[in-house]
Amino acid sequence: MATTPVGSVDAANSDDVKRTIGDAHTAFQSGIWSRAPAIHRSKVLTRLARALEERVPALVELETLQTGRAIREMSAQLGRLPEWL
């Protein structure tokens, strides 16, 4: 049975990770996020949670295909991700 790719993910190396952490630290220190009003941060996180919620079914499928875990189990776990934001 042939499988159809459903997505791809680039692998990060240590330089990518260091650069990303550095960029996040710079953004935090600049105050763009850390000094933004709480209501603004709340709106951003709410939009992010809604976008994530819309993508949960696709994430469940990807994770199930990759790990072989049950769809019901992954749906329960990944379905709670938006709550964390």
Side-chain angles (χ1 to χ4, degrees):
M1 178 168 110
T3 59
T4 303
V6 292
S8 65
V9 177
D10 291 330
N13 60 36
S14 61
D15 289 336
D16 295 329
V17 172
K18 288 176 188 174
R19 184 175 51 256
T20 301
I21 291 170
D23 290 348
H25 181 74
T26 299
F28 181 82
Q29 292 297 331
S30 75
I32 291 170
W33 181 258
S34 59
R35 290 192 288 272
I39 191 71
H40 172 73
R41 294 192 312 259
S42 172
K43 287 178 182 180
V44 170
L45 292 174
T46 298
R47 283 196 315 262
L48 179 59
R50 286 188 183 137
L52 179 58
E53 191 172 41
E54 292 172 5
R55 290 166 177 81
V56 164
L59 294 171
V60 167
E61 181 181 354
L62 286 172
E63 191 65 16
T64 299
L65 289 170
Q66 182 171 338
T67 65
R69 293 172 69 187
I71 290 173
R72 184 186 311 190
E73 180 182 351
M74 293 313 309
S75 293
Q77 288 183 350
L78 295 179
R80 306 254 351 241
L81 284 176
E83 295 174 28
W84 296 354
L85 298 174

